[in-house]
Amino acid sequence: KLPPQELSDFLCQTVLVKGTAAMGTILFFTFEGVSCFISQASLDNGQCLNTSIASVVLSGYVVILTTLSACNKAVPMSVQREMAWELASIASLKGLKWWQRIQGGFMIITAIISLFLLSWLGIEADENSTVFNVGMMGLGSILFAGVINMTMLVRTRNEHERNLTSTKLPPTQRSARGFSASDIEENAIGLALV
């Protein structure tokens, strides 16, 4: 559970503001595909297929990133601080945790692929399977980054809860409290539904 102030910030900033910004971006990508079909005056024209594929894949990236951002903000502030990346660590690549390096690598791959797909928006060229294949590689990359993020988020949240509970339990019961894979799975499903 989030404290009332953090819940208010989550609903206003994360859900309302970021959700609206994401919808605007998705609409932009959608209008790129629609404008291509309108300019060609045909829905069965293969020249607009590349633009349509690029816009759908880019919209998928935006949805996944917005969902991950919302999940990261749906936990207490103490967990958010532990999960945060420091700019100095990113710039020097020192002090990053192992999972942050892997997740960062997947996000760099996704960013490069996004730039490639953005370059295909509005290009009226013959159908090219490269756009679809590269888009699916980026989708796989962003999904791997998301799985790493959610796993570490749930693990960090469970460790914080366990630390809070162990400090409240009498000394004889502190060692009996364990950490199981079912806790991760149960909380990952709950976070995914958020």
Side-chain angles (χ1 to χ4, degrees):
K1 287 185 170 181
L2 289 175
Q5 180 60 37
E6 289 182 29
L7 181 61
S8 174
D9 290 342
F10 169 74
L11 291 174
C12 291
Q13 295 298 319
T14 304
V15 175
L16 186 64
V17 173
K18 288 186 179 180
T20 304
M23 286 186 347
T25 306
I26 291 170
L27 284 174
F28 168 76
F29 293 142
T30 303
F31 287 138
E32 280 293 319
V34 170
S35 69
C36 181
F37 284 114
I38 290 173
S39 69
Q40 294 294 320
S42 173
L43 290 177
D44 59 351
N45 191 341
Q47 292 184 342
C48 294
L49 189 61
N50 295 329
T51 299
S52 298
I53 290 172
S55 67
V56 168
V57 172
L58 287 169
S59 296
Y61 294 172
V62 170
V63 168
I64 292 169
L65 287 174
T66 305
T67 304
L68 286 175
S69 175
C71 290
N72 285 334
K73 298 291 183 183
V75 294
M77 196 61 92
S78 58
V79 176
Q80 289 179 32
R81 277 192 292 271
E82 189 160 329
M83 293 286 296
W85 297 35
E86 294 181 21
L87 293 178
S89 298
I90 293 172
S92 65
L93 295 179
K94 293 179 182 174
L96 291 175
K97 299 173 184 164
W98 66 270
W99 62 269
Q100 289 174 328
R101 292 174 190 225
I102 295 171
Q103 183 183 15
F106 281 125
M107 293 308 288
I108 288 171
I109 291 169
T110 303
I112 292 169
I113 290 173
S114 296
L115 290 174
F116 172 78
L117 293 174
L118 279 169
S119 71
W120 275 94
L121 285 178
I123 294 178
E124 297 173 5
D126 290 334
E127 188 176 335
N128 188 346
S129 64
T130 305
V131 175
F132 178 78
N133 294 336
V134 169
M136 290 302 109
M137 286 179 8
L139 188 61
S141 177
I142 199 169
L143 287 175
F144 278 129
V147 167
I148 291 169
N149 183 68
M150 293 304 295
T151 303
M152 297 314 296
L153 183 67
V154 170
R155 180 178 289 172
T156 304
R157 194 190 106 212
N158 284 342
E159 287 174 1
H160 277 270
E161 285 180 358
R162 187 177 53 213
N163 289 340
L164 287 175
T165 328
S166 66
T167 56
K168 294 177 185 175
L169 292 175
T172 56
Q173 292 182 354
R174 284 187 189 159
S175 60
R177 179 106 171 115
F179 181 69
S180 68
S182 64
D183 290 339
I184 293 175
E185 181 180 340
E186 177 182 307
N187 291 322
I189 292 170
L191 281 174
L193 292 175
V194 170

Short mmCIF file of all heavy atoms in Angstrom, two decimals, residues 122-178:
data_model
loop_
_atom_site.label_atom_id
_atom_site.label_comp_id
_atom_site.label_asym_id
_atom_site.label_seq_id
_atom_site.Cartn_x
_atom_site.Cartn_y
_atom_site.Cartn_z
N GLY A 122 6.47 7.62 -42.65
CA GLY A 122 6.23 8.55 -43.74
C GLY A 122 6.95 8.22 -45.03
O GLY A 122 6.78 8.92 -46.03
N ILE A 123 7.77 7.16 -45.04
CA ILE A 123 8.46 6.77 -46.27
C ILE A 123 7.53 5.86 -47.06
O ILE A 123 7.09 4.82 -46.57
CB ILE A 123 9.78 6.05 -45.98
CG1 ILE A 123 10.76 7.01 -45.32
CG2 ILE A 123 10.36 5.48 -47.27
CD1 ILE A 123 12.08 6.38 -44.96
N GLU A 124 7.24 6.26 -48.26
CA GLU A 124 6.37 5.45 -49.11
C GLU A 124 7.27 4.64 -50.04
O GLU A 124 7.66 5.08 -51.12
CB GLU A 124 5.42 6.35 -49.90
CG GLU A 124 4.48 7.11 -48.98
CD GLU A 124 3.64 8.14 -49.72
OE1 GLU A 124 3.71 8.20 -50.95
OE2 GLU A 124 2.94 8.89 -49.03
N ALA A 125 7.62 3.45 -49.58
CA ALA A 125 8.50 2.57 -50.34
C ALA A 125 7.83 1.21 -50.46
O ALA A 125 6.82 0.93 -49.80
CB ALA A 125 9.84 2.43 -49.63
N ASP A 126 8.38 0.37 -51.30
CA ASP A 126 7.83 -0.97 -51.46
C ASP A 126 7.93 -1.74 -50.15
O ASP A 126 8.79 -1.46 -49.31
CB ASP A 126 8.56 -1.72 -52.57
CG ASP A 126 8.25 -1.14 -53.95
OD1 ASP A 126 7.16 -0.55 -54.09
OD2 ASP A 126 9.09 -1.27 -54.85
N GLU A 127 7.08 -2.73 -50.03
CA GLU A 127 7.02 -3.53 -48.81
C GLU A 127 8.39 -4.14 -48.51
O GLU A 127 9.06 -4.67 -49.39
CB GLU A 127 5.98 -4.63 -49.00
CG GLU A 127 5.70 -5.41 -47.75
CD GLU A 127 4.59 -6.42 -47.99
OE1 GLU A 127 3.75 -6.21 -48.88
OE2 GLU A 127 4.57 -7.41 -47.27
N ASN A 128 8.81 -4.03 -47.25
CA ASN A 128 10.13 -4.48 -46.84
C ASN A 128 10.00 -5.24 -45.54
O ASN A 128 9.55 -4.68 -44.54
CB ASN A 128 11.06 -3.26 -46.68
CG ASN A 128 12.49 -3.64 -46.46
OD1 ASN A 128 12.81 -4.77 -46.17
ND2 ASN A 128 13.36 -2.66 -46.60
N SER A 129 10.41 -6.50 -45.51
CA SER A 129 10.26 -7.32 -44.30
C SER A 129 11.26 -6.91 -43.22
O SER A 129 11.11 -7.31 -42.06
CB SER A 129 10.42 -8.80 -44.64
OG SER A 129 11.73 -9.05 -45.10
N THR A 130 12.26 -6.12 -43.56
CA THR A 130 13.25 -5.68 -42.58
C THR A 130 12.60 -4.88 -41.47
O THR A 130 12.97 -5.02 -40.30
CB THR A 130 14.35 -4.84 -43.26
OG1 THR A 130 14.91 -5.60 -44.33
CG2 THR A 130 15.43 -4.45 -42.28
N VAL A 131 11.65 -4.04 -41.81
CA VAL A 131 10.98 -3.21 -40.81
C VAL A 131 10.30 -4.09 -39.77
O VAL A 131 10.43 -3.87 -38.56
CB VAL A 131 9.98 -2.25 -41.47
CG1 VAL A 131 9.21 -1.47 -40.42
CG2 VAL A 131 10.68 -1.31 -42.42
N PHE A 132 9.59 -5.12 -40.21
CA PHE A 132 8.90 -6.02 -39.29
C PHE A 132 9.90 -6.78 -38.44
O PHE A 132 9.75 -6.88 -37.22
CB PHE A 132 8.00 -7.00 -40.07
CG PHE A 132 7.30 -7.98 -39.19
CD1 PHE A 132 6.18 -7.59 -38.47
CD2 PHE A 132 7.77 -9.28 -39.06
CE1 PHE A 132 5.53 -8.50 -37.65
CE2 PHE A 132 7.13 -10.18 -38.24
CZ PHE A 132 6.01 -9.80 -37.53
N ASN A 133 10.94 -7.34 -39.05
CA ASN A 133 11.93 -8.14 -38.32
C ASN A 133 12.67 -7.31 -37.28
O ASN A 133 12.85 -7.74 -36.14
CB ASN A 133 12.92 -8.78 -39.30
CG ASN A 133 12.26 -9.80 -40.20
OD1 ASN A 133 11.23 -10.36 -39.86
ND2 ASN A 133 12.84 -10.02 -41.36
N VAL A 134 13.09 -6.12 -37.66
CA VAL A 134 13.79 -5.25 -36.72
C VAL A 134 12.84 -4.82 -35.60
O VAL A 134 13.23 -4.75 -34.43
CB VAL A 134 14.41 -4.04 -37.46
CG1 VAL A 134 14.92 -3.00 -36.48
CG2 VAL A 134 15.52 -4.50 -38.38
N GLY A 135 11.60 -4.53 -35.94
CA GLY A 135 10.61 -4.15 -34.92
C GLY A 135 10.39 -5.25 -33.91
O GLY A 135 10.28 -4.99 -32.70
N MET A 136 10.35 -6.50 -34.36
CA MET A 136 10.17 -7.62 -33.43
C MET A 136 11.41 -7.82 -32.56
O MET A 136 11.30 -8.20 -31.39
CB MET A 136 9.86 -8.91 -34.20
CG MET A 136 8.49 -8.93 -34.85
SD MET A 136 7.14 -8.70 -33.66
CE MET A 136 6.59 -7.06 -34.05
N MET A 137 12.60 -7.57 -33.10
CA MET A 137 13.81 -7.63 -32.28
C MET A 137 13.75 -6.58 -31.17
O MET A 137 14.09 -6.85 -30.02
CB MET A 137 15.06 -7.41 -33.14
CG MET A 137 15.41 -8.58 -33.99
SD MET A 137 16.86 -8.41 -35.06
CE MET A 137 17.64 -6.92 -34.63
N GLY A 138 13.30 -5.38 -31.50
CA GLY A 138 13.15 -4.34 -30.50
C GLY A 138 12.10 -4.68 -29.46
O GLY A 138 12.27 -4.40 -28.28
N LEU A 139 11.01 -5.30 -29.92
CA LEU A 139 9.96 -5.70 -28.99
C LEU A 139 10.49 -6.75 -28.01
O LEU A 139 10.23 -6.67 -26.80
CB LEU A 139 8.75 -6.25 -29.76
CG LEU A 139 7.50 -6.54 -28.97
CD1 LEU A 139 6.97 -5.26 -28.33
CD2 LEU A 139 6.44 -7.16 -29.85
N GLY A 140 11.26 -7.71 -28.51
CA GLY A 140 11.87 -8.70 -27.63
C GLY A 140 12.83 -8.05 -26.64
O GLY A 140 12.86 -8.39 -25.46
N SER A 141 13.59 -7.08 -27.12
CA SER A 141 14.55 -6.39 -26.27
C SER A 141 13.86 -5.62 -25.15
O SER A 141 14.25 -5.70 -23.99
CB SER A 141 15.39 -5.44 -27.13
OG SER A 141 16.27 -4.71 -26.35
N ILE A 142 12.81 -4.90 -25.49
CA ILE A 142 12.11 -4.12 -24.46
C ILE A 142 11.36 -5.03 -23.48
O ILE A 142 11.23 -4.72 -22.30
CB ILE A 142 11.19 -3.06 -25.09
CG1 ILE A 142 10.86 -1.97 -24.07
CG2 ILE A 142 9.93 -3.66 -25.63
CD1 ILE A 142 10.17 -0.77 -24.66
N LEU A 143 10.88 -6.18 -23.97
CA LEU A 143 10.21 -7.12 -23.07
C LEU A 143 11.21 -7.74 -22.10
O LEU A 143 10.90 -7.92 -20.91
CB LEU A 143 9.48 -8.19 -23.87
CG LEU A 143 8.20 -7.72 -24.56
CD1 LEU A 143 7.62 -8.83 -25.42
CD2 LEU A 143 7.18 -7.22 -23.56
N PHE A 144 12.42 -8.08 -22.57
CA PHE A 144 13.45 -8.60 -21.66
C PHE A 144 13.81 -7.55 -20.61
O PHE A 144 13.94 -7.87 -19.43
CB PHE A 144 14.71 -9.01 -22.43
CG PHE A 144 14.63 -10.37 -23.05
CD1 PHE A 144 14.92 -10.52 -24.39
CD2 PHE A 144 14.27 -11.48 -22.31
CE1 PHE A 144 14.85 -11.77 -24.99
CE2 PHE A 144 14.19 -12.73 -22.89
CZ PHE A 144 14.48 -12.88 -24.24
N ALA A 145 13.96 -6.30 -21.02
CA ALA A 145 14.25 -5.23 -20.07
C ALA A 145 13.12 -5.09 -19.06
O ALA A 145 13.36 -4.88 -17.87
CB ALA A 145 14.48 -3.91 -20.81
N GLY A 146 11.88 -5.22 -19.52
CA GLY A 146 10.73 -5.13 -18.63
C GLY A 146 10.68 -6.27 -17.63
O GLY A 146 10.36 -6.06 -16.45
N VAL A 147 10.99 -7.48 -18.07
CA VAL A 147 11.00 -8.63 -17.16
C VAL A 147 12.07 -8.45 -16.09
O VAL A 147 11.83 -8.70 -14.90
CB VAL A 147 11.21 -9.94 -17.95
CG1 VAL A 147 11.55 -11.10 -17.04
CG2 VAL A 147 9.97 -10.27 -18.78
N ILE A 148 13.24 -7.99 -16.50
CA ILE A 148 14.31 -7.73 -15.53
C ILE A 148 13.87 -6.66 -14.53
O ILE A 148 14.03 -6.82 -13.31
CB ILE A 148 15.61 -7.30 -16.24
CG1 ILE A 148 16.19 -8.47 -17.03
CG2 ILE A 148 16.64 -6.76 -15.25
CD1 ILE A 148 17.30 -8.07 -17.98
N ASN A 149 13.27 -5.59 -15.02
CA ASN A 149 12.82 -4.51 -14.16
C ASN A 149 11.77 -5.01 -13.16
O ASN A 149 11.85 -4.71 -11.97
CB ASN A 149 12.25 -3.37 -15.01
CG ASN A 149 11.83 -2.20 -14.16
OD1 ASN A 149 12.66 -1.53 -13.58
ND2 ASN A 149 10.54 -1.96 -14.10
N MET A 150 10.78 -5.74 -13.64
CA MET A 150 9.71 -6.19 -12.75
C MET A 150 10.22 -7.20 -11.72
O MET A 150 9.82 -7.16 -10.57
CB MET A 150 8.56 -6.81 -13.57
CG MET A 150 7.82 -5.82 -14.44
SD MET A 150 7.14 -4.43 -13.52
CE MET A 150 5.96 -5.26 -12.51
N THR A 151 11.12 -8.08 -12.14
CA THR A 151 11.68 -9.05 -11.20
C THR A 151 12.44 -8.36 -10.08
O THR A 151 12.25 -8.67 -8.90
CB THR A 151 12.61 -10.04 -11.95
OG1 THR A 151 11.87 -10.67 -12.99
CG2 THR A 151 13.18 -11.08 -11.01
N MET A 152 13.28 -7.40 -10.45
CA MET A 152 14.07 -6.71 -9.43
C MET A 152 13.18 -5.79 -8.57
O MET A 152 13.43 -5.63 -7.38
CB MET A 152 15.19 -5.91 -10.08
CG MET A 152 16.20 -6.78 -10.82
SD MET A 152 16.76 -8.26 -9.92
CE MET A 152 17.58 -7.55 -8.53
N LEU A 153 12.14 -5.22 -9.16
CA LEU A 153 11.23 -4.38 -8.40
C LEU A 153 10.50 -5.19 -7.34
O LEU A 153 10.42 -4.79 -6.17
CB LEU A 153 10.22 -3.72 -9.34
CG LEU A 153 9.24 -2.74 -8.73
CD1 LEU A 153 9.98 -1.51 -8.24
CD2 LEU A 153 8.19 -2.35 -9.75
N VAL A 154 10.01 -6.35 -7.72
CA VAL A 154 9.30 -7.20 -6.76
C VAL A 154 10.26 -7.72 -5.71
O VAL A 154 9.93 -7.74 -4.51
CB VAL A 154 8.60 -8.37 -7.52
CG1 VAL A 154 8.08 -9.40 -6.55
CG2 VAL A 154 7.47 -7.83 -8.37
N ARG A 155 11.46 -8.11 -6.12
CA ARG A 155 12.44 -8.61 -5.16
C ARG A 155 12.81 -7.51 -4.15
O ARG A 155 12.85 -7.76 -2.94
CB ARG A 155 13.69 -9.09 -5.88
CG ARG A 155 14.76 -9.62 -4.90
CD ARG A 155 15.95 -10.12 -5.62
NE ARG A 155 15.59 -11.36 -6.30
CZ ARG A 155 16.38 -11.97 -7.16
NH1 ARG A 155 17.55 -11.47 -7.47
NH2 ARG A 155 15.99 -13.10 -7.72
N THR A 156 13.05 -6.31 -4.63
CA THR A 156 13.41 -5.20 -3.74
C THR A 156 12.26 -4.87 -2.79
O THR A 156 12.47 -4.66 -1.60
CB THR A 156 13.79 -3.96 -4.57
OG1 THR A 156 14.83 -4.31 -5.48
CG2 THR A 156 14.25 -2.82 -3.69
N ARG A 157 11.04 -4.86 -3.32
CA ARG A 157 9.87 -4.57 -2.47
C ARG A 157 9.71 -5.64 -1.41
O ARG A 157 9.43 -5.34 -0.23
CB ARG A 157 8.61 -4.48 -3.32
CG ARG A 157 7.48 -3.84 -2.53
CD ARG A 157 6.17 -3.93 -3.22
NE ARG A 157 5.43 -4.95 -2.50
CZ ARG A 157 4.56 -5.76 -3.03
NH1 ARG A 157 4.31 -5.71 -4.30
NH2 ARG A 157 3.93 -6.64 -2.32
N ASN A 158 9.88 -6.90 -1.77
CA ASN A 158 9.76 -7.99 -0.79
C ASN A 158 10.84 -7.90 0.28
O ASN A 158 10.58 -8.18 1.45
CB ASN A 158 9.81 -9.35 -1.49
CG ASN A 158 8.52 -9.67 -2.20
OD1 ASN A 158 7.48 -9.07 -1.92
ND2 ASN A 158 8.57 -10.59 -3.13
N GLU A 159 12.06 -7.53 -0.12
CA GLU A 159 13.14 -7.38 0.87
C GLU A 159 12.82 -6.25 1.85
O GLU A 159 13.05 -6.38 3.04
CB GLU A 159 14.46 -7.11 0.16
CG GLU A 159 15.04 -8.32 -0.52
CD GLU A 159 16.28 -8.02 -1.33
OE1 GLU A 159 16.72 -6.84 -1.35
OE2 GLU A 159 16.80 -8.95 -1.96
N HIS A 160 12.27 -5.16 1.35
CA HIS A 160 11.89 -4.06 2.24
C HIS A 160 10.78 -4.49 3.19
O HIS A 160 10.84 -4.17 4.38
CB HIS A 160 11.43 -2.83 1.43
CG HIS A 160 12.56 -2.00 0.95
ND1 HIS A 160 13.08 -0.96 1.67
CD2 HIS A 160 13.29 -2.05 -0.19
CE1 HIS A 160 14.07 -0.41 1.02
NE2 HIS A 160 14.22 -1.05 -0.13
N GLU A 161 9.79 -5.20 2.68
CA GLU A 161 8.71 -5.68 3.55
C GLU A 161 9.23 -6.67 4.58
O GLU A 161 8.83 -6.64 5.74
CB GLU A 161 7.60 -6.32 2.72
CG GLU A 161 6.74 -5.33 1.97
CD GLU A 161 5.65 -6.02 1.15
OE1 GLU A 161 5.58 -7.26 1.14
OE2 GLU A 161 4.89 -5.29 0.52
N ARG A 162 10.15 -7.55 4.16
CA ARG A 162 10.71 -8.53 5.07
C ARG A 162 11.53 -7.84 6.15
O ARG A 162 11.46 -8.20 7.32
CB ARG A 162 11.55 -9.54 4.30
CG ARG A 162 12.03 -10.69 5.16
CD ARG A 162 12.79 -11.71 4.39
NE ARG A 162 13.87 -11.04 3.66
CZ ARG A 162 14.30 -11.43 2.48
NH1 ARG A 162 13.75 -12.47 1.89
NH2 ARG A 162 15.28 -10.81 1.88
N ASN A 163 12.28 -6.81 5.76
CA ASN A 163 13.08 -6.08 6.75
C ASN A 163 12.18 -5.35 7.74
O ASN A 163 12.47 -5.31 8.93
CB ASN A 163 14.01 -5.08 6.06
CG ASN A 163 15.14 -5.77 5.34
OD1 ASN A 163 15.45 -6.92 5.63
ND2 ASN A 163 15.73 -5.09 4.39
N LEU A 164 11.08 -4.77 7.25
CA LEU A 164 10.14 -4.10 8.15
C LEU A 164 9.48 -5.10 9.09
O LEU A 164 9.31 -4.83 10.27
CB LEU A 164 9.07 -3.36 7.34
CG LEU A 164 9.53 -2.10 6.63
CD1 LEU A 164 8.39 -1.55 5.77
CD2 LEU A 164 9.98 -1.05 7.63
N THR A 165 9.12 -6.27 8.58
CA THR A 165 8.44 -7.27 9.40
C THR A 165 9.41 -7.88 10.41
O THR A 165 9.03 -8.14 11.54
CB THR A 165 7.86 -8.40 8.54
OG1 THR A 165 7.46 -7.90 7.29
CG2 THR A 165 6.66 -9.02 9.19
N SER A 166 10.66 -8.10 9.99
CA SER A 166 11.62 -8.72 10.91
C SER A 166 11.98 -7.80 12.06
O SER A 166 12.29 -8.27 13.15
CB SER A 166 12.88 -9.16 10.16
OG SER A 166 13.57 -8.02 9.69
N THR A 167 11.91 -6.50 11.84
CA THR A 167 12.19 -5.57 12.94
C THR A 167 11.02 -5.50 13.91
O THR A 167 11.19 -5.14 15.06
CB THR A 167 12.51 -4.16 12.43
OG1 THR A 167 11.43 -3.70 11.63
CG2 THR A 167 13.79 -4.15 11.62
N LYS A 168 9.81 -5.85 13.44
CA LYS A 168 8.63 -5.82 14.30
C LYS A 168 8.41 -7.13 15.04
O LYS A 168 7.72 -7.17 16.03
CB LYS A 168 7.39 -5.49 13.46
CG LYS A 168 7.40 -4.10 12.89
CD LYS A 168 6.19 -3.87 12.03
CE LYS A 168 6.26 -2.50 11.36
NZ LYS A 168 5.17 -2.29 10.42
N LEU A 169 8.97 -8.25 14.52
CA LEU A 169 8.78 -9.55 15.15
C LEU A 169 9.70 -9.71 16.35
O LEU A 169 10.79 -9.13 16.38
CB LEU A 169 9.09 -10.66 14.14
CG LEU A 169 8.12 -10.82 12.96
CD1 LEU A 169 8.66 -11.88 12.01
CD2 LEU A 169 6.74 -11.19 13.43
N PRO A 170 9.29 -10.54 17.32
CA PRO A 170 10.22 -10.85 18.42
C PRO A 170 11.44 -11.60 17.88
O PRO A 170 11.36 -12.24 16.83
CB PRO A 170 9.39 -11.76 19.35
CG PRO A 170 7.99 -11.69 18.86
CD PRO A 170 8.00 -11.12 17.49
N PRO A 171 12.58 -11.54 18.58
CA PRO A 171 13.82 -12.15 18.08
C PRO A 171 13.69 -13.63 17.74
O PRO A 171 14.33 -14.12 16.84
CB PRO A 171 14.82 -11.95 19.22
CG PRO A 171 14.27 -10.82 20.02
CD PRO A 171 12.79 -10.84 19.83
N THR A 172 12.82 -14.38 18.43
CA THR A 172 12.69 -15.81 18.15
C THR A 172 11.98 -16.08 16.83
O THR A 172 12.18 -17.12 16.22
CB THR A 172 11.91 -16.51 19.28
OG1 THR A 172 10.64 -15.85 19.41
CG2 THR A 172 12.68 -16.45 20.58
N GLN A 173 11.15 -15.16 16.37
CA GLN A 173 10.40 -15.37 15.14
C GLN A 173 11.07 -14.74 13.92
O GLN A 173 10.64 -14.97 12.81
CB GLN A 173 8.99 -14.79 15.28
CG GLN A 173 8.14 -15.54 16.28
CD GLN A 173 6.74 -14.95 16.34
OE1 GLN A 173 6.46 -13.92 15.72
NE2 GLN A 173 5.87 -15.58 17.11
N ARG A 174 12.12 -13.95 14.11
CA ARG A 174 12.74 -13.24 12.98
C ARG A 174 13.33 -14.20 11.96
O ARG A 174 13.23 -13.99 10.78
CB ARG A 174 13.82 -12.30 13.47
CG ARG A 174 13.26 -11.06 14.08
CD ARG A 174 14.33 -10.08 14.42
NE ARG A 174 13.75 -9.00 15.21
CZ ARG A 174 14.42 -8.21 15.98
NH1 ARG A 174 15.73 -8.35 16.08
NH2 ARG A 174 13.81 -7.27 16.66
N SER A 175 13.96 -15.28 12.40
CA SER A 175 14.61 -16.19 11.47
C SER A 175 13.61 -17.08 10.74
O SER A 175 13.93 -17.66 9.73
CB SER A 175 15.65 -17.04 12.20
OG SER A 175 14.99 -17.79 13.19
N ALA A 176 12.40 -17.22 11.26
CA ALA A 176 11.41 -18.09 10.64
C ALA A 176 10.82 -17.50 9.36
O ALA A 176 10.32 -18.22 8.52
CB ALA A 176 10.28 -18.38 11.63
N ARG A 177 10.90 -16.20 9.20
CA ARG A 177 10.34 -15.53 8.02
C ARG A 177 11.27 -15.77 6.84
O ARG A 177 12.44 -15.45 6.87
CB ARG A 177 10.21 -14.03 8.31
CG ARG A 177 9.68 -13.25 7.16
CD ARG A 177 8.25 -12.86 7.45
NE ARG A 177 7.81 -11.92 6.44
CZ ARG A 177 6.85 -12.20 5.59
NH1 ARG A 177 6.23 -13.33 5.64
NH2 ARG A 177 6.48 -11.30 4.70
N GLY A 178 10.74 -16.31 5.72
CA GLY A 178 11.57 -16.64 4.57
C GLY A 178 11.19 -15.86 3.33
O GLY A 178 10.25 -15.08 3.33
#
